[in-house]
Amino acid sequence: MAPLLDGLRILVLEDEFLIAMDVEQLCRDHGAGDVVIARDLAEIDRKDVASRFDAAIVDLMLGGASTLDFASGLHKSGVPFVFASGYSDADEINASFPDVRLVTKPYSGEDLIGAVAAACGRGPVV
């Protein structure tokens, strides 16, 4: 059986360095082909996200700036993603993104990887 994230190109939006490194390693351990970390939205060329990435893990706040507009762009372009955040207002997220999983910090690696795999149609929906 292939790893859950086998070959996927994953964008990780996370401004906390140690968390970003941990998420990158988790993705690689589960077969991701490429993992790109962005600690700020300015680091991303929004025009080519859909062609460069198969999935994304999005923190709701990067350096105090909301990522909801960026997430809306991912949603419109068909890039599956999950929110991974300590942000506590799940109702607001569910209202705007009812089909996107919010994995709250602190989360287990298994929960995060399972959510990404499910978003990509590779695992059970959780």
Side-chain angles (χ1 to χ4, degrees):
M1 184 169 165
L4 284 175
L5 305 183
D6 190 35
L8 293 179
R9 300 165 299 162
I10 299 177
L11 172 62
V12 176
L13 292 179
E14 174 59 65
D15 58 354
E16 296 290 333
F17 179 76
L18 293 177
I19 294 172
M21 299 303 292
D22 188 43
V23 170
E24 176 185 22
Q25 191 59 53
L26 276 168
C27 291
R28 292 188 188 283
D29 289 348
H30 286 85
D34 189 24
V35 181
V36 172
I37 296 171
R39 297 181 64 203
D40 187 297
L41 288 172
E43 297 175 25
I44 303 162
D45 181 355
R46 295 177 191 217
K47 293 180 294 232
D48 70 349
V49 169
S51 64
R52 289 190 57 209
F53 300 103
D54 301 306
I57 299 169
V58 180
D59 190 349
L60 286 165
M61 299 294 286
L62 292 181
S66 171
T67 60
L68 290 178
D69 286 342
F70 181 80
S72 184
L74 288 175
H75 200 261
K76 287 177 186 168
S77 65
V79 176
F81 67 97
V82 298
F83 288 113
S85 183
Y87 187 75
S88 62
D89 192 356
D91 291 338
E92 178 184 346
I93 301 309
N94 289 334
S96 299
F97 300 94
D99 56 340
V100 176
R101 171 103 185 265
L102 170 61
V103 182
T104 56
K105 294 176 183 174
Y107 48 75
S108 73
E110 183 177 296
D111 284 346
L112 182 62
I113 296 303
V116 174
C120 295
R122 294 184 171 204
V125 177
V126 284

